Amino acid sequence: MIIETKTPQETFDVGKKIGENAKPGQIYTLTGDLGVGKTVFTQGVAAGLGITEPICSPTFTIIQEYESGRLPLYHFDVYRIGDIEEMEEIGYDDYFFGQGICLIEWANLIEEILPENLIKVTIEKDLDKGFDYRKITVTGLEEI
Ligand code: ADP
Ligand code: MG
């Protein structure tokens, strides 16, 4: 599934719709270069889940948990992970195999521990189509 957006709001709204329809236990990976809109998308997912607190990037903590929505949201940013052991230390399997939604940035760095049933979200720019153009590719979901 490919969705094209032309403003941050549209990307937010795609995330919001996914959040509204998200089901317990789903794991989303979020891939894209710096500044492409991963955080904007995540804020949309959180809004769709009814989460009221602000979403901050968990780069220094690996995981940030949000419990105020319809389902818990576990937002991972594994960019700074040195060793897969660190995932064991935070008890990642409680999150991966729990009743919340996992959203993982830089998931390629922890490929060996990712389950098979992933929903993959990739966000890309295409400067030929304008500075604010984004192509969002979603695999593993029938519809959003
Ligand atoms: P990332 O988390 O991927 O590093 P951010 O979400 O923090 O990126 O930032 C994306 C930036 O791109 C924001 O400044 C946002 O306003 C801008 N932007 C412009 N067009 C779009 C779009 N179509 N979708 C998402 N963000 C956009
Ligand atoms: Mg970000």
Side-chain angles (χ1 to χ4, degrees):
M1 184 176 2
I2 293 176
I3 305 130
E4 297 176 293
T5 70
K6 294 188 175 64
T7 63
Q9 182 66 44
E10 283 177 28
T11 297
F12 180 95
D13 288 343
V14 173
K16 188 171 176 201
K17 214 162 170 203
I18 287 181
E20 284 166 354
N21 295 312
K23 294 179 187 64
Q26 284 179 332
I27 300 180
Y28 293 80
T29 62
L30 193 44
T31 304
D33 295 337
L34 201 69
V36 81
K38 298 184 296 296
T39 297
V40 170
F41 177 89
T42 302
Q43 287 166 342
V45 173
L49 287 166
I51 289 163
T52 47
E53 63 251 56
I55 303 297
C56 356
S57 189
T59 300
F60 295 98
T61 53
I62 301 181
I63 178 170
Q64 195 82 45
E65 301 182 42
Y66 301 94
E67 306 275 358
S68 65
R70 176 174 67 84
L71 297 168
L73 174 65
Y74 307 124
H75 182 198
F76 292 78
D77 182 338
V78 298
Y79 183 68
R80 272 161 215 280
I81 208 157
D83 193 284
I84 210 78
E85 282 281 301
E86 289 177 47
M87 290 298 286
E88 311 278 358
E89 280 160 25
I90 63 166
Y92 76 91
D93 42 357
D94 288 345
Y95 302 110
F96 281 17
F97 306 108
Q99 292 303 299
I101 304 301
C102 291
L103 212 161
I104 311 171
E105 301 194 36
W106 296 98
N108 58 302
L109 298 177
I110 57 163
E111 223 151 36
E112 61 254 58
I113 60 166
L114 290 175
E116 271 180 22
N117 273 333
L118 295 174
I119 300 161
K120 297 185 180 175
V121 179
T122 305
I123 312 179
E124 295 162 287
K125 292 186 185 181
D126 181 347
L127 291 176
D128 290 340
K129 297 192 177 177
F131 191 66
D132 291 346
Y133 171 89
R134 301 290 189 272
K135 183 169 98 173
I136 304 174
T137 306
V138 182
T139 65
L141 265 190
E142 311 257 292
E143 56 177 358
I144 67 161

